[in-house]
Amino acid sequence: MSAAPLVGYSSSGSEDEAEAAVTEQTSPGSGGHCRGQSPLPNERFPVPDSVLNMFPGTEEGPEDDSAKHGGRVRTFPHERGNWVTHVYVPYEAREEFPDLLDMLLPQAQAYVPRLVKMEAFHLSLSQSVVLRHHWILPFVQALKDRMASFERFLFTANQVKIYTNQEKTRTFVGLEVTSGYAQFLDLVSEVDRVMEEFDLTTFYQDPSFHISLAWCVGDACLQLEGQCLQELQEIVDEFEDSEMLLRVQAMQVRCKSGNKFFSMPLK
């Protein structure tokens, strides 16, 4: 069994991908000499490093140190004024969900010790795309207009599956949606229309909607598929009231752009 391509994730965490646009620095005016004074000698003195460092060049992007974000590698170049944007449905987990995770994660870590639990859970409706700052509000408004007619719906995600991102620099253990798939497709169809309006990349064909539970750097598919995958599925199937636990209501669509969040409640 080959790992499914990951739906809607860039290879770097969305929390630190984007940076707010920076107001352009303007240098002091270079007007004429002060009235009544002689011109200064045409001699240039070296500018102290402490002053030069106050005005870094705008064309040179910040250093991308993967060690600062768990070894993850950026999919997009980090540029000022670019906001990495992602549309998704938050996963409103039931109270017992952490108990299930506490059983699944150690079992998976027996095969891949570097796996870590996700900090938040969601189901992607878009790939990660880059918006310029002045596009954000029109983009979100277009999304809100498209989402206005959608009603809340129930879905189940109870099939354990292994995913990688497109670059195969990260691996994920997820729960795939087994009911409610048609409703997610309808949402994606409307999100795709907004993407097309802004000339952005649409979602994958035949997507695997899922909740990522844990991740690690690198391609760990060989270790996680086969025996490990079977054991993880048995844990899910045998967990008390798992059928009810993993049946959840989709209540809103959310858009994250840089460090900004926009919520669109379903009816």
Side-chain angles (χ1 to χ4, degrees):
M1 175 181 173
S2 61
L6 177 66
V7 180
Y9 285 89
S10 65
S11 62
S12 178
S14 57
E15 298 298 325
D16 55 7
E17 275 291 320
E19 176 179 319
V22 177
T23 304
E24 182 181 356
Q25 296 275 4
T26 55
S27 60
S30 56
H33 306 295
C34 296
R35 185 176 302 174
Q37 293 182 348
S38 301
L40 294 174
N42 190 23
E43 181 180 353
R44 303 183 66 178
F45 296 95
V47 181
D49 290 341
S50 59
V51 175
L52 289 174
N53 291 336
M54 295 171 62
F55 304 98
T58 57
E59 294 182 2
E60 182 177 348
E63 180 183 356
D64 189 10
D65 185 355
S66 62
K68 294 180 180 178
H69 38 83
R72 294 170 292 187
V73 180
R74 295 188 186 279
T75 298
F76 305 107
H78 194 308
E79 296 181 10
R80 288 177 175 150
N82 281 355
W83 294 61
V84 175
T85 301
H86 178 220
V87 183
Y88 59 94
V89 171
Y91 184 66
E92 310 288 348
R94 297 182 185 271
E95 185 177 354
E96 299 85 356
F97 188 69
D99 297 334
L100 176 59
L101 284 182
D102 288 343
M103 296 178 66
L104 289 170
L105 187 57
Q107 189 68 32
Q109 287 173 329
Y111 291 85
V112 181
R114 66 183 185 276
L115 277 168
V116 294
K117 184 171 66 174
M118 299 291 292
E119 295 179 358
F121 307 102
H122 66 265
L123 299 96
S124 293
L125 301 178
S126 79
Q127 298 193 54
S128 292
V129 297
V130 174
L131 284 177
R132 300 298 293 175
H133 182 262
H134 60 277
W135 289 357
I136 294 175
L137 291 182
F139 179 85
V140 171
Q141 186 58 53
L143 278 177
K144 288 182 176 180
D145 293 343
R146 292 283 182 183
M147 298 295 111
S149 62
F150 278 91
E151 297 182 352
R152 299 178 181 183
F153 62 92
L154 289 170
F155 68 92
T156 301
N158 60 1
Q159 185 70 42
V160 182
K161 201 164 183 177
I162 309 303
Y163 298 88
T164 63
N165 61 352
Q166 289 180 306
E167 299 80 15
K168 295 189 180 296
T169 57
R170 294 174 75 191
T171 303
F172 298 80
V173 178
L175 288 175
E176 185 181 32
V177 167
T178 55
S179 71
Y181 187 88
Q183 289 91 328
F184 279 107
L185 276 182
D186 290 341
L187 288 173
V188 166
S189 177
E190 295 302 314
V191 172
D192 276 352
R193 292 189 180 189
V194 176
M195 294 293 180
E196 290 170 349
E197 290 176 18
F198 286 80
D199 198 25
L200 298 170
T201 304
T202 55
F203 206 40
Y204 306 101
Q205 291 188 347
D206 302 320
S208 172
F209 298 109
H210 66 279
I211 307 149
S212 289
L213 306 177
W215 72 278
C216 69
V217 172
D219 186 351
C221 295
L222 289 179
Q223 299 97 306
L224 291 171
E225 291 180 336
Q227 183 65 28
C228 178
L229 185 64
Q230 181 179 339
E231 293 171 0
L232 295 176
Q233 188 63 58
E234 289 174 356
I235 290 174
V236 171
D237 294 341
E238 296 172 6
F239 192 80
E240 184 178 1
D241 296 328
S242 64
E243 184 174 349
M244 289 298 298
L245 170 64
L246 299 174
R247 185 168 175 79
V248 175
Q249 189 172 45
M251 304 181 66
Q252 62 175 301
V253 171
R254 190 174 292 169
C255 176
K256 181 180 186 297
S257 188
N259 58 0
K260 299 180 182 294
F261 292 86
F262 304 89
S263 180
M264 289 146 272
L266 304 179
K267 294 195 302 182

